[in-house]
């Protein structure tokens, strides 16, 4: 009998499986371009998104510093992924969770949260100044004032959010032997964006970081507009964003997100979420500015299963975004 000397890591718990996600060569996406494109497959995290990292790091730091203890209540505002990441980690650590959401929360994510025993608080009206995010944050403050032993993880201002992604950057650089020329990062809280940007700055790297923002987001000074696809962009300014550490930024709209999702599904057989599709479209728009033989990376932030009723539902797309009809037709190479 032939045996193989293969060592597999033993994970001590489900949270021990968070991070160390694959970096996937997206060669089929750029077959007619002379640069390399890689996707950091954050859907491989057990909760299905990059926010597993953020949730775990923030909670571990709070537990270790004595700011929270078993039995306490965690409160957070989320459009979906942070909520799921927190729900999993809270259940593991014996913490209660209250999540403030708005109407853009999709039904699949809501079912996951209820299964994890998270309590859902829903706001139904946006603030005139601040939109749905502003309304969610207002509700968070009310909950903190009414729930004993409650703690706000505050993904919007907790410095442990960007600190989370110093290790994420290390993973990418290790996989590419230190050669990373461009990194595309979707905006939201800007925790991932600035965590990566700070790491690049502090280590004096040559990597150019490109922020991918949503049309209708206010982060780079644009007017607030209605957006259908959650998970990127923001209705209020970011507490983390430092534009001096960002090489460039590019806008994508809901149609770009849908087109990118269908494109990477067709060409790479990867079913990813809306912000990931936005980044695929952003690279496509930016491609002519990328130098030959450059190594480019982006985050495939979450799983596409949570978008089966929206982005991957052709009837929904034609009804809500009729201009997206071309999104799910064969696109050919770049």
């Amino acid at each position: 009998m032939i045996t193989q000397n293969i060592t597999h890591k033993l994970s001590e718990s489900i949270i021990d499986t968070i991070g160390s996600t694959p970096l996937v060569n997206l060669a089929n996406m750029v077959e007619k371009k002379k640069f390399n494109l890689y996707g950091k497959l954050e859907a491989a995290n057990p909760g299905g998104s990059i926010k597993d990292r953020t949730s775990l790091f923030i909670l571990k730091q709070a537990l270790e510093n004595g700011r929270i203890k078993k039995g306490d209540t965690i409160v957070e505002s989320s459009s979906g992924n942070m909520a799921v990441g927190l729900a999993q980690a809270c259940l593991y650590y014996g913490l209660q969770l209250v999540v403030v959401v708005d109407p853009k929360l999709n039904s699949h994510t809501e079912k996951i949260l209820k299964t994890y025993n998270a309590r859902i608080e829903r706001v139904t009206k946006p603030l005139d100044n601040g939109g749905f995010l502003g309304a969610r944050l207002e509700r968070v403050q009310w909950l903190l004032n009414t729930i004993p032993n409650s703690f706000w993880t505050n993904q919007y201002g907790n410095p442990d959010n960007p600190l989370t992604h110093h290790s994420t950057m290390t993973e990418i650089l290790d996989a590419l032997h230190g050669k990373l020329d461009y990194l595309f990062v979707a905006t939201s809280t800007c925790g991932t964006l600035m965590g990566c940007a700070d790491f690049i700055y502090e280590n004096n790297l040559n990597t150019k970081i490109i922020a991918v923002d949503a049309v209708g987001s206010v982060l780079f000074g644009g007017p607030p507009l209605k957006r259908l696809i959650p998970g990127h962009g923001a209705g209020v300014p970011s507490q983390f964003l430092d534009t001096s550490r960002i090489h460039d930024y590019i806008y994508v709209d809901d149609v770009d997100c849908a087109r990118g999702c269908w494109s990477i599904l067709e060409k790479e057989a990867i079913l990813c979420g809306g912000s990931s599709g936005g980044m695929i479209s952003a690279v496509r728009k930016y491609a002519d500015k990328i130098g030959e033989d450059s190594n480019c990376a982006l985050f495939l932030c979450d799983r596409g299963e949570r978008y089966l009723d929206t982005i991957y539902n052709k009837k929904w797309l034609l009804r809500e975004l009729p201009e997206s009809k071309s999104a799910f037709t064969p696109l050919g190479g770049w």
Side-chain angles (χ1 to χ4, degrees):
M1 183 176 70
I2 298 174
T3 59
Q4 292 179 309
N5 185 20
I6 298 175
T7 301
H8 294 283
K9 177 187 174 186
L10 172 65
S11 297
E12 297 297 332
S13 67
I14 188 65
I15 61 170
D16 193 37
T17 68
I18 293 172
S20 299
T21 53
L23 189 67
V24 181
N25 187 357
L26 305 178
N28 294 330
M29 299 302 303
V30 291
E31 57 190 359
K32 293 184 180 178
K33 290 294 179 182
K34 294 182 180 180
F35 60 86
N36 307 306
L37 182 63
Y38 304 94
K40 188 66 166 158
L41 193 62
E42 291 301 298
N45 285 307
S49 86
I50 195 170
K51 292 302 180 92
D52 286 16
R53 295 177 184 263
T54 314
S55 302
L56 177 61
F57 190 73
I58 289 175
L59 289 180
K60 283 180 74 173
Q61 294 298 106
L63 285 163
E64 290 172 6
N65 295 333
R67 287 176 286 167
I68 57 175
K69 63 184 183 305
K70 186 175 182 178
D72 286 355
T73 299
I74 304 302
V75 180
E76 186 57 281
S77 154
S78 173
S79 60
N81 287 333
M82 184 72 177
V84 174
L86 281 172
Q88 177 178 251
C90 283
L91 190 59
Y92 179 80
Y93 284 124
L95 300 162
Q96 306 300 310
L97 176 63
V98 182
V99 182
V100 182
V101 303
D102 60 43
K104 288 187 281 188
L105 178 74
N106 68 57
S107 60
H108 188 82
T109 300
E110 183 172 353
K111 291 174 184 176
I112 293 172
L113 292 174
K114 289 179 177 177
T115 302
Y116 274 121
N117 202 33
R119 171 181 155 193
I120 296 176
E121 284 274 328
R122 195 184 309 269
V123 300
T124 56
K125 294 182 180 179
L127 296 183
D128 291 337
N129 239 346
F132 277 117
L133 177 54
R136 294 197 326 245
L137 295 177
E138 190 176 76
R139 181 70 63 86
V140 164
Q141 293 304 316
W142 180 82
L143 290 165
L144 293 171
N145 291 330
T146 57
I147 300 174
N149 301 314
S150 57
F151 176 81
W152 182 21
T153 41
N154 188 10
Q155 62 169 319
Y156 309 95
N158 190 329
D160 287 333
N161 180 348
L163 279 174
T164 302
H165 298 291
H166 287 213
S167 63
T168 315
M169 278 298 301
T170 300
E171 291 174 21
I172 296 173
L173 289 165
D174 285 350
L176 296 176
H177 306 290
K179 186 183 185 309
L180 176 61
D181 301 294
Y182 292 86
L183 179 65
F184 290 77
V185 187
T187 63
S188 181
T189 66
C190 293
T192 306
L193 176 70
M194 291 313 305
C196 295
D198 291 344
F199 184 92
I200 290 166
Y201 177 81
E202 291 164 13
N203 288 278
N204 197 30
L205 303 177
N206 293 323
T207 306
K208 296 178 174 66
I209 194 161
I210 313 298
V212 181
D213 199 18
V215 172
S217 166
V218 303
L219 292 171
F220 288 91
L225 299 170
K226 180 182 177 182
R227 293 175 282 127
L228 292 178
I229 296 174
H232 67 141
V236 299
S238 167
Q239 296 178 48
F240 299 126
L241 182 60
D242 178 356
T243 56
S244 70
R245 296 189 177 182
I246 306 301
H247 176 74
D248 207 348
Y249 65 92
I250 188 168
Y251 283 112
V252 293
D253 60 19
D254 288 335
V255 175
D256 291 323
C257 292
R259 183 173 289 114
C261 283
W262 281 89
S263 178
I264 194 171
L265 176 62
E266 173 200 342
K267 295 202 161 288
E268 302 285 357
I270 298 175
L271 188 71
C272 63
S275 65
S276 304
M279 281 187 280
I280 291 292
S281 287
V283 173
R284 185 172 188 147
K285 291 181 177 185
Y286 207 80
D288 289 341
K289 298 181 181 180
I290 298 173
E292 188 173 338
D293 296 324
S294 293
N295 280 351
C296 307
L298 54 81
F299 290 101
L300 301 175
C301 295
D302 61 354
R303 296 174 183 162
E305 287 93 332
R306 296 169 193 174
Y307 301 83
L308 292 178
D309 293 332
T310 53
I311 291 173
Y312 295 104
N313 182 321
K314 295 179 182 180
K315 290 182 179 179
W316 182 90
L317 277 178
L318 291 174
R319 181 179 70 249
E320 301 294 336
L321 295 168
E323 64 273 36
S324 70
K325 185 175 181 180
S326 64
F328 40 83
T329 57
L331 296 176
W334 289 12

